[in-house]
């Protein structure tokens, strides 16, 4: 069992030479994490849970959020007071496949509630089965003023190597639905990629 804690405390005075609004100079953020690794050789499970809270007056030199989460609109901005519960379970089965599931719940008071689900799976090439990576993610966001924002994401890529040739394939599908009292916006994005490349050659690639 591993336990970890982090605390950030900031002082930022936007009007240094005045006492106006000095009550909003102090900000903080805190994170507590627990990880557990049961002794199961064939499965190698990992369990983790963490709690993060960000105060409304926090002011840091850089964002605390993950760049990928920001790109996919998963992360609530650090400028908003919010708290998040996050839980994850992962397995490494027979050194071949690694499934994982994650759930997080975020609340920014008087602004938004958010639920995020993620399922991933990675497998190595074995016999006639290609190496593959799969990811499913779902975001459900409900704003206090009545607007909702949801998306479903599927990512699948695979590679199969034989001799000096490697086959590659990629598929991505994202469906986004944004609703308010007046309108509904539906967006769908699909990408396909297929490729062949050389593999294992030091002086030639194509």
């Amino acid at each position: 069992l591993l336990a970890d804690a982090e605390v950030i405390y900031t002082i930022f005075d936007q009007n240094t030479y005045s006492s106006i609004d000095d009550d909003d100079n102090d900000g903080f953020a805190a994170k507590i994490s627990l990880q557990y690794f049961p002794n199961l050789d064939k499965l190698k499970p990992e369990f983790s849970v963490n709690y993060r809270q960000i105060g409304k007056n926090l002011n840091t030199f850089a964002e605390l959020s993950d760049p990928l989460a920001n790109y996919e609109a998963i992360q609530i901005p650090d400028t908003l007071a919010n708290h998040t519960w996050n839980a994850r379970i992962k397995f490494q089965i027979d050194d071949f496949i690694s499934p994982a599931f994650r759930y997080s719940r975020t609340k920014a008071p008087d602004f938004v509630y958010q639920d995020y689900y993620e399922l991933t799976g990675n497998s190595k090439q074995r016999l006639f089965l290609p190496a593959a990576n799969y990811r499913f993610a779902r975001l459900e966001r409900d704003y206090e003023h009545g607007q909702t924002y949801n998306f479903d994401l599927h990512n699948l890529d695979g590679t199969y190597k034989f001799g000096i040739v490697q086959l590659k394939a990629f598929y991505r599908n994202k469906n986004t639905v944004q609703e308010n009292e007046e309108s509904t916006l539906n967006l769908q994005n699909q990408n396909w990629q297929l490729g062949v490349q050389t593999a294992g050659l030091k002086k030639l690639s194509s």
Side-chain angles (χ1 to χ4, degrees), residues 42-62:
K42 292 294 184 179
L43 298 178
K44 296 181 180 179
E46 300 178 17
F47 301 93
S48 64
V49 61
N50 64 66
Y51 172 77
R52 188 181 82 161
Q53 182 169 350
I54 296 179
K56 66 178 180 179
N57 298 320
L58 181 71
N59 194 290
T60 58
F61 291 106

Side-chain angles (χ1 to χ4, degrees), residues 89-162:
I89 181 172
K90 179 183 178 182
F91 296 93
Q92 177 72 40
I93 302 174
D94 197 27
D95 197 33
F96 171 58
I97 186 170
S98 301
F101 176 74
R102 174 189 166 197
Y103 168 73
S104 67
R105 169 77 166 173
T106 301
K107 177 182 178 182
D110 301 320
F111 182 66
V112 69
Y113 290 85
Q114 177 177 289
D115 291 295
Y116 177 71
Y117 311 84
E118 184 181 64
L119 176 66
T120 61
N122 306 305
S123 63
K124 299 179 180 179
Q125 179 175 324
R126 181 172 291 185
L127 298 178
F128 298 104
L129 297 176
N133 301 288
Y134 174 71
R135 176 176 176 235
F136 165 75
R138 177 171 177 79
L139 178 79
E140 299 174 353
R141 183 179 291 170
D142 296 316
Y143 293 90
E144 290 288 342
H145 55 70
Q147 182 177 336
T148 62
Y149 174 84
N150 304 315
F151 76 69
D152 293 302
L153 173 68
H154 296 269
N155 272 7
L156 176 63
D157 68 81
T159 58
Y160 189 81
K161 179 181 176 183
F162 54 98

Side-chain angles (χ1 to χ4, degrees), residues 2-48:
L2 297 177
D4 182 69
E6 299 178 59
V7 176
I8 297 176
Y9 179 76
T10 64
I11 301 175
F12 179 66
D13 191 349
Q14 298 188 59
N15 46 356
T16 306
Y17 301 105
S18 171
S19 60
I20 298 175
D21 291 334
D22 276 352
D23 58 344
D24 63 3
N25 294 344
D26 300 341
F28 81 96
K31 182 178 180 180
I32 301 174
S33 303
L34 293 174
Q35 290 181 287
Y36 179 54
F37 306 91
N39 187 20
L40 299 173
D41 292 340
K42 292 294 184 179
L43 298 178
K44 296 181 180 179
E46 300 178 17
F47 301 93
S48 64

